[in-house]
Amino acid sequence: MCSPRFFRVEYEINPWMDTGVPVDADLAVKQWERLREILIELGHTVHTLDPDPGLPDMVFAANGAFTVDGVAYGARFRFPQRGAEAAAHRAFYTTHGWPHTESAEINEGEGDFAYLPGVAGGLILAGYGFRTAPPAHAEAVEVLGRPIVPLHLTDPRFYHLDTALAALDDRTIAYYPGAFSAGSQRVLRRLFPDAVLADEADALDFGLNLVSDGRHVVLNSDAAALAARLAAAGFTPVPVELSELKKGGGSVKCCVAELRG
Ligand code: ARG
């Protein structure tokens, strides 16, 4: 994770960002601290990157890389405003002894990659359409040695895969079908007949931008309807307020780069 100490909306690279809307940076830090505490209370180890005053989106740590089996596939950001974030993530992995592969292709890390260890020996779902470029999927297959299913995102409000789809446990996902092309919706129906389906309101509440340990599902407190459906499916929702970061177009998952050792 990375503190939102320098979080601002000073450019617009997704439909949620509006440079005319003020951000309460102190509140952003308070809300983010609470998210961090919740993850620690749930038993996770949380490492943090030092925020850089010149990189106002650095709080969205999910975008810096994608890891599987102790190997990190590094990000290459779509927009120049975020380009330098990749090096901060690379430095983290190299100092912690994780093999890190520099990517030649545009990809925004876990923002566009989800991992299901219990499907097909470890299946990667990969979004494209707005940020990650399709050639990055083939590159990630080579680096990570896992099968990848490309999924076409078609609604600009859901510009990263992690705004429209989430892994709930090793083999179960939740997703909003309307964020995907007709063909990708068919693929998801075939692969995940038992998925928890979200509707447009859930997705607009950033409910799918969640972090799950297979039981506890940490998600934006606005997404009360989705939380109720997750509870009915046997999960334990853990709501967290992240109103300020929503102004940057992100929520819980965007703040967390999972380290899969
Ligand atoms: N403002 C950031 C951007 O547009 C938000 C990134 C959200 N991250 C995510 N994993 N969805 O790049």
Side-chain angles (χ1 to χ4, degrees), residues 7-9 11-15 17 56-57 60-63 77 79 82 85 108-112 131 159-163 206 209 245 247-251 253-256:
F7 173 62
R8 299 177 302 279
V9 178
Y11 47 79
E12 296 175 4
I13 56 173
N14 71 57
M17 301 175 86
D57 265 337
F60 300 116
N63 297 123
F77 284 82
F79 295 107
R82 297 194 65 187
E85 293 179 42
E108 297 199 345
E110 290 212 324
D112 274 321
R131 297 293 181 88
Y159 58 94
H160 275 141
L161 184 69
D162 71 3
T163 63
F206 272 90
N209 197 249
L245 294 182
K247 297 172 183 170
S251 191
K253 174 63 209 142
C254 300
C255 293
V256 178

Side-chain angles (χ1 to χ4, degrees), residues 128-194:
Y128 71 98
F130 297 103
R131 297 293 181 88
T132 295
H137 298 175
E139 192 180 45
V141 168
E142 286 305 316
V143 175
L144 302 171
R146 302 281 173 167
I148 288 195
V149 175
L151 298 168
H152 190 186
L153 295 160
T154 53
D155 183 331
R157 296 170 301 173
F158 310 115
Y159 58 94
H160 275 141
L161 184 69
D162 71 3
T163 63
L165 180 148
L168 294 172
D169 61 22
D170 287 359
R171 58 188 70 246
T172 313
I173 63 166
Y175 71 102
Y176 166 50
F180 297 92
S181 70
S184 295
Q185 289 183 35
R186 287 167 62 206
V187 169
L188 288 169
R189 274 201 301 274
R190 274 171 215 261
L191 277 174
F192 302 100
D194 302 323

